Amino acid sequence: MSTLDTPPPAVVTGKPAGRTTPRRPETRRRGEVSRGGALGSHGILIVASVIALFPVAWLVFLSLGPDKDDYLRPGGIWGKMTLDNYAFVLQETNFFDWLKSSLIVSLGTTVIGVLVAATTGYAVSRMRFPGYKKFMWVLLVTQMFPVAVLMVPMYQILSDLQLIDTYFGLILVYCSTAVPYCAWLMKGYFDTIPFEIDEAGRVDGLSPFGTFVRLILPLAKPGLAVAAFYSFITAFGEVAFATTFMLDDEKYTLAVGLQSFVSEHDSQRHLMAATAVLIAIPVSAFFYLVQKNLVAGLTAGGTKG
Amino acid sequence: MTVAIDRATGKRSGERPPRAGRAGRLKHAYQKYWYAFAMIVPVVVVLGVLVLYPLAYGFYLTLTDANSLNSARTIGVNEIEATYKFIGLDNYADILWGETSYDRFWSHFIWTIVWTAACVGLHYTIGLGLALLLNQKLRGRTFYRLILILPWAVPTFVTVFGWRFMLADAGIINSGLESLGLPTPLWLEDTFWQRFAAIMVNTWCGVPFMMVSLLGGLQSIDGTLYEAAEMDGATAWQRFRHVTLPGLRSVSSTVVLLGIIWTFNQFAVIFLLFGNTAPEAQILVTWAYQLGFGQQPRDFAQSAAYGMLLLAILIVFTSFYRRWLNRNEQQLAI
């Protein structure tokens, strides 16, 4: 079962280049570890890996037990492992409705967020206009909005507009965080594209907007992808707004649907575990594909001038 | 040339050091502000409509006694007009120093601070430790890294349920403790252990981000610095103290700030771990949610007021943090 969680270690690339050049082969090289140190390191890393892996592996294990109280008697699962929970979740519950809701809402947020924020990211990366500092400050502040700040007014406004329990309403709510977030991330990426390219564009007679569309945007695809991925994941995992604003259980997102196993259906934990695994596998797989770019994208805006 | 521009506009002289060859373009850009404005218009509109308007409306609500009984609502075919009234700053006064304000606000405030400090402290130290281990030339380190990222890869709302199974009364954790002859606390019922469990789960969720960020920071430190330090006879601890930590500064200050903001606002972990069952373990965010949406009648005004207070706390904190960084000549660039 753990094969599901651990992608093959074939992805080994991107080791730091400069530090490992063998300069003094006769002694221990820089960054190399003594035997005892290596043993200690391996020991700690193995313990940490087990801690990181265990809750997820445990969830997978419990999802194979057919009874809702099996999580209290895990020993009994060995004898009666079955995939029935998965079959039940896929066939008898609203799992696919929830998946659809999650995808509609997350993709909607992502598309709007990236489209709206792209030009802004460029503008704040390249141009120093009056009000620049204040604008950046606003972008930062919106990133630290606790859910509680917009929740009540948004609820009131959306119910006035009759948008409660609609996908569009939830997308609008998520855009309030996704848009500044994307602008922020993309600024970081645009900063890494040499300014000389803009200059070349100008020399060739392109307007700033033309430079952006024809030259910068194609170069910025990885940055756009990171911003898109981040807003997707954020919208996908959001709990508070989704719980409050989606009332119809066919429109629940996965995050809300998962909770409904406990509150409404008399704590069907075995089904819940199976659903959780079904959600976790594709998301984690996707995450592993892009994880290299994530941190770079996120910290670029913060660490570069 | 550059100086002239700076004087002409009368500002942003210290913002971005003028570099050779840029002066012409800068001037150009200044003449064409309107491009910049045209480009930020979409975001400004979105922020105005989706953030500032609700924020202003929310602030107005905090000055009223709105709740779900007196707000405008539709019951069947009947539209009922809102009947709440303006009460000024009473909500804030009530929250901050009204009767029982300690039980309602200050106890949660203290717990939120403890929660944030403990979580970010653990995230950072464990993350840094693991990053240092992974930064060695070690067999299988890519493999370790991939496993250690796992808690970050799985959505929080999924893993928190996994933890709930494990922390349940007769769950695996208590069975394990029992077989070792250790006491088996009621993780999901006893206030102290609820808080302990919340910190534990959130630490588990948050370490991978710190670890990966700091690992990126470690790998960008110039290796020759270590060589020079070793030549000068610096011990491992001295190299860590005087080369590694300063080299990590800009990454650290950014991820710590992000970590503090995220942890302070962390909703999912506590909400999903306890639901409504743990009034004492709620941090301010989940408590505000509970007031506005987790009880009947829903107290919209007080919930919104909590939201405003939370935002104020974060803004004040971030301003001080930035000033502190600037005084130490560090840049956060935000």
Side-chain angles (χ1 to χ4, degrees), chain A residues 12 15-16 19 23 30-33 41-42 44-46 48-49 51-56 58-59 62 71-72 116-117 119-120 122-123 127-130 132-133 135 137 141-142 144-157 172 175-176 179 184 195 199 202 207-209 230 236-237 239-240 244 255 258-259 262 269 272 276 279-280 283-284 287-288 291-292 295 298 302-305, chain B residues 15-16 22 25 28 30 33 35-37 39-40 42-44 46-47 50-51 53-55 57-58 61 71 130 133-139 141-155 157-158 161-166 168 170 172 204 209 212-213 223 226-227 230 250-251 254 261-262 265 267 271-272 285 288-289 293 298 300 303 307 310-311 314-315 318-319 322 332-334:
Chain A
V12 190
K15 285 183 179 160
R19 298 221 1 227
R23 284 180 62 244
R30 167 145 316 289
E32 237 167 55
V33 196
S41 300
H42 278 294
I44 297 173
L45 285 171
I46 287 169
S49 301
I51 293 174
L53 203 56
F54 186 77
V56 182
W58 190 242
L59 199 58
L62 290 181
Y71 73 104
L72 298 175
V116 169
T119 53
T120 301
Y122 180 70
M127 305 172 192
R128 293 292 171 272
F129 47 90
Y132 169 83
K133 276 205 155 174
F135 184 67
W137 179 239
V141 168
T142 50
M144 51 187 167
F145 272 28
V147 280
V149 167
L150 289 182
M151 193 120 199
V152 173
M154 280 287 198
Y155 185 80
Q156 298 272 327
I157 293 168
L172 282 184
C175 278
S176 68
V179 166
W184 191 259
F195 285 33
E199 271 164 19
R202 288 307 172 70
S207 70
F209 196 74
Y230 258 115
F236 192 87
V239 176
T244 318
L258 193 56
Q259 280 166 265
V262 166
R269 293 171 190 270
M272 197 172 163
I279 301 169
V283 178
S284 321
F287 183 92
Y288 274 109
Q291 43 101 8
K292 278 242 162 77
V295 176
L298 191 66
T303 52
K304 295 202 178 79
Chain B
E15 200 181 307
R16 199 172 246 261
R22 277 236 207 131
R25 209 192 54 252
H28 215 61
Y30 280 133
Y33 285 145
Y35 271 112
F37 290 132
M39 282 181 162
I40 65 169
V43 168
V44 171
V46 169
L47 286 179
L50 293 182
V51 178
Y53 173 65
L55 198 63
Y57 185 65
L61 281 177
S71 294
L130 292 175
L133 290 177
L134 289 177
N135 197 38
Q136 304 170 92
K137 265 176 79 74
L138 204 65
R139 197 179 286 265
R141 65 177 180 174
T142 312
F143 182 71
Y144 286 127
R145 206 194 55 165
L146 285 175
I147 293 185
L148 290 172
I149 288 181
L150 186 73
W152 190 21
V154 183
F157 70 86
V158 169
F161 284 113
W163 276 95
R164 242 166 76 167
F165 295 141
M166 291 165 50
I172 183 72
W204 184 84
F209 169 73
V212 177
S213 310
Y226 287 99
E227 252 163 62
E230 220 163 289
S250 75
V251 178
T254 305
I261 292 174
W262 288 343
N265 289 337
F267 181 84
F271 177 74
L272 295 177
V285 174
Y289 176 84
F293 297 94
R298 299 170 163 195
F300 293 139
S303 177
L310 282 171
L311 186 60
L314 277 177
I315 291 179
T318 312
S319 308
R322 280 176 70 189
L332 199 62
I334 39 184

Side-chain angles (χ1 to χ4, degrees), chain A residues 146-148, chain B residues 104-105 107-116 119 195 198-199 202 260-271 274 278-291 306 310:
Chain A
V147 280
Chain B
R104 285 177 297 139
F105 180 79
S107 62
H108 295 289
F109 176 78
I110 294 167
W111 160 231
T112 307
I113 303 291
V114 173
W115 150 267
T116 309
C119 286
R195 293 178 172 180
I199 291 178
N202 192 47
I260 288 174
I261 292 174
W262 288 343
T263 311
F264 190 85
N265 289 337
Q266 176 58 260
F267 181 84
V269 167
I270 288 186
F271 177 74
F274 306 121
E280 298 298 317
Q282 304 290 334
I283 55 173
L284 286 170
V285 174
T286 55
W287 181 248
Y289 176 84
Q290 198 125 315
L291 287 179
Y306 269 89
L310 282 171

